[in-house]
Amino acid sequence: MKYTEEHEWLRTEGDVIVVGITAHATEQLGDIVFVELPDVGTTVEKDDEIVVIESVKAASDIMAPLDGEITAVNEALGDNPALANEDATGEGWFFKIKPSDPSQMDDYMDEDAYKAMIG
């Protein structure tokens, strides 16, 4: 698993990357009450704003961590946005992306580096 400085996690599953936000991020946001996900089939570029999260504390955007195509979204978050709080790295995933340049994954931190960043 890799991590961004914006507290996203990225897990490789075959030729797609599953993306969500870390437990640290959900703790900072508080209870998540709304998640707007991208459409499946959308082509994105790295740093495009593709997800909107609203919590009891703030609204936040998630940027695309990679260039590629959205291949799946977690529809369960529409009915139960709290899944992101309850199981951030499991059932609370946000979307899957098929990267057009998998080497972009090399730009991100491993778990030890992420833990060091958040202290």
Side-chain angles (χ1 to χ4, degrees):
M1 192 174 303
K2 296 280 192 161
Y3 299 87
T4 72
E5 291 183 2
E6 292 76 32
H7 308 287
E8 296 167 68
W9 56 261
L10 300 90
R11 183 177 55 232
T12 302
E13 289 185 359
D15 63 348
V16 300
I17 307 297
V18 183
V19 180
I21 61 173
T22 65
H24 175 79
T26 63
E27 289 167 14
Q28 298 299 310
L29 288 167
D31 292 337
I32 295 173
V33 296
F34 176 77
V35 177
E36 182 180 317
L37 297 167
D39 293 327
V40 172
T42 301
T43 300
V44 299
E45 292 185 17
K46 184 177 177 178
D47 297 330
D48 284 352
E49 295 177 6
I50 59 171
V51 174
V52 175
I53 301 171
E54 292 181 16
S55 73
V56 293
K57 292 183 179 176
S60 303
D61 295 318
I62 292 182
M63 311 302 197
L66 309 163
D67 297 342
E69 179 182 345
I70 304 299
T71 61
V73 297
N74 188 354
E75 300 286 352
L77 286 176
D79 295 331
N80 184 11
L83 277 175
N85 296 102
E86 296 164 3
D87 191 9
T89 56
E91 295 299 313
W93 63 277
F94 283 72
F95 59 88
K96 296 180 181 181
I97 185 169
K98 184 172 184 176
S100 57
D101 179 5
S103 72
Q104 289 178 321
M105 286 288 284
D106 297 340
D107 297 341
Y108 296 114
M109 295 176 274
D110 61 18
E111 186 171 355
D112 289 341
Y114 180 72
K115 284 182 177 177
M117 184 188 85
I118 63 174

